[in-house]
Amino acid sequence: MAEIRVHKLHKAFGAFTAVRESTFTVADGQFFCLLGPSGCGKTTTLRMIAGLELPTSGTILLGGEDVTFKQASGRDIAFVFQLFALYPHMNVRANIAYPLRAQGMARAEVRRRVEEAAHTLRIGHLLDKPVSGLSSGDRQRVALGRAIVREPLAFLMDEPLGALDAEFRELMCGELRGLHDRLGATTVYVTHDQLEAMSMADAIAVMNQGVIEQLGAPQEIYDRPASLFVADFIGSPSMNLLPFSGRLARGARAVQLENAELAVPELREDGAEGELVLGVRPEHVRFDDASRLRATVVETEYLGTTQIATLTTAGGASLKARLPSALPVRPGEQVGLALRGERLSLFERASGRALRTSLHDAEAARG
């Protein structure tokens, strides 16, 4: 397998810029996710790495070799598509073997590799069956088998679980990550599903409008979103974003939200005066009768051991709290809110960027 280096990768289609100056490195053996909403540039980025699209500018190194303007056939990669792209007139064995036979590989070696891939994917009993009669999950395994028999430098996967139902998609997430670990593969995986990315990836690049908004480990992105977009996009429910006005100076340890003073991580830079945003994850919101930050319960959603309560503050801000299901919560109830100060994030509304706090420093030191 091999490291992938992307430097200032740019792709424009006429006046439209699909990818803007992207730079990142996928380490040898890493599971790397490009995550973002539809149209953010993640698939275009993947296709440029694969050689299916040529960049407007920038460089792509695969295993130290500059492949920026090489054709796809000149890059030692395997591409797995969302809709399987299998040959319906062939059986499973023939589909998996096809890329090896196209290379003119000896029949005995083809058979060995196909049976080894089938064993890895637990589809050995399907080798002589037609692909047309397979379930979606088995067809995706066949598509993966056709990729891994080539033993490429890297695997590129474009929403490979998008056609599966939710229950099977969750199962295949675990299987894909297990397959990655067994092969020691370098994998670049495109998805719009944050749960897929958070559960499988070693590193995630969150994209928005052609720009990488944040690059880091899943926990880092969840705990320390670098922008309002990332804070809103990551998490289910997403981070609560509570607007307030004021000026925050370096060293500040509290903010004024409505009529309550709330403790926050120490600010390590001066913030712009004006419209600011306080971010808090739903699991860090608690009820506290002594708090001056008051809210009304609008509705609750039962989730087994937890419940999601939707609240509206006295000032009109809306937020969600993840609470134990055993806690009695009634719509219309007036409650006080406590927010865990060490887990709060602060953002400038105009720029959307996160302000640096002691939370960032402490967790960066631990990481």
Side-chain angles (χ1 to χ4, degrees):
M1 301 302 164
E3 178 186 79
I4 300 171
R5 285 186 175 270
V6 171
H7 182 66
K8 292 189 175 181
L9 196 63
H10 192 88
K11 180 63 178 180
F13 296 94
F16 173 70
T17 300
V19 177
R20 191 183 304 274
E21 304 290 320
S22 289
T23 296
F24 58 87
T25 297
V26 185
D28 185 10
Q30 188 175 52
F31 197 116
F32 185 94
C33 273
L34 291 167
L35 172 66
S38 297
C40 70
K42 57 189 186 296
T43 292
T44 301
T45 300
L46 191 75
R47 289 175 62 84
M48 286 191 284
I49 296 172
L52 301 175
E53 292 279 357
L54 295 181
T56 304
S57 61
T59 57
I60 302 167
L61 301 180
L62 177 60
E65 179 187 0
D66 189 341
V67 297
T68 309
F69 296 105
K70 273 195 171 184
Q71 294 183 340
S73 58
R75 309 182 190 200
D76 189 9
I77 56 93
F79 204 107
V80 180
F81 297 90
Q82 177 178 351
L83 297 177
F84 318 136
L86 301 177
Y87 299 107
H89 62 288
M90 297 181 184
N91 64 13
V92 171
R93 186 187 300 275
N95 264 278
I96 296 175
Y98 183 81
L100 303 182
R101 289 178 175 166
Q103 294 173 13
M105 187 173 289
R107 183 173 298 180
E109 179 63 10
V110 169
R111 184 178 185 86
R112 183 191 68 79
R113 288 203 192 184
V114 168
E115 291 182 353
E116 186 176 276
H119 175 74
T120 298
L121 294 162
R122 299 193 291 277
I123 54 173
H125 62 293
L126 300 177
L127 282 174
D128 296 314
K129 292 187 178 295
V131 295
S132 57
L134 300 181
S135 68
S136 295
D138 285 336
R139 276 184 282 169
Q140 189 57 275
R141 285 187 177 91
V142 176
L144 289 168
R146 192 171 59 188
I148 68 176
V149 290
R150 293 188 52 237
E151 300 177 359
L153 288 176
F155 293 100
L156 308 183
M157 302 187 185
D158 187 12
E159 307 247 22
L161 308 183
L164 306 182
D165 60 51
E167 182 178 355
F168 209 84
R169 191 160 61 240
E170 184 177 348
L171 174 65
M172 284 298 294
C173 279
E175 294 203 0
L176 264 180
R177 179 65 213 209
L179 176 65
H180 167 86
D181 292 340
R182 289 194 298 274
L183 297 176
T186 300
T187 302
V188 183
Y189 186 100
V190 160
T191 182
H192 67 276
D193 188 323
Q194 56 162 308
L195 296 179
E196 286 185 15
M198 297 292 281
S199 65
M200 290 192 290
D202 298 313
I204 299 173
V206 183
M207 296 191 69
N208 180 37
Q209 297 182 345
V211 175
I212 294 178
E213 296 251 345
Q214 188 169 2
L215 173 61
Q219 185 174 356
E220 177 188 355
I221 288 173
Y222 186 83
D223 288 343
R224 304 195 304 276
S227 68
L228 283 171
F229 172 81
V230 176
D232 188 54
F233 188 75
I234 299 294
S236 181
S238 60
M239 178 175 272
N240 296 304
L241 301 173
L242 307 174
F244 67 100
S245 298
R247 181 181 184 278
L248 291 179
R250 183 194 303 263
R253 293 174 179 266
V255 300
Q256 190 73 27
L257 183 66
E258 298 184 8
N259 65 340
E261 185 176 87
L262 303 175
V264 297
E266 181 182 351
L267 196 64
R268 296 301 174 88
E269 62 175 316
D270 290 329
E273 184 173 1
E275 297 300 309
L276 301 167
V277 177
L278 177 67
V280 56
R281 292 289 179 193
E283 60 269 27
H284 299 142
V285 180
R286 290 291 180 265
F287 291 175
D288 182 356
D289 289 339
S291 174
R292 296 185 63 188
L293 181 61
R294 310 302 294 180
T296 302
V297 178
V298 177
E299 63 181 6
T300 61
E301 178 185 359
Y302 177 73
L303 298 175
T305 58
T306 63
Q307 60 183 323
I308 301 296
T310 302
L311 310 152
T312 302
T313 68
S318 179
L319 70 159
K320 294 182 184 290
R322 187 184 297 274
L323 305 164
S325 291
L327 182 70
V329 181
R330 296 178 298 276
E333 181 180 2
Q334 304 293 310
V335 297
L337 299 181
L339 311 182
R340 282 183 55 188
E342 73 274 16
R343 307 306 302 169
L344 304 183
S345 296
L346 293 165
F347 304 91
E348 291 179 344
R349 180 183 283 187
S351 67
R353 76 178 186 91
L355 297 174
R356 192 166 65 86
T357 68
S358 56
L359 170 66
H360 296 67
D361 297 341
E363 295 199 352
R366 285 203 298 271

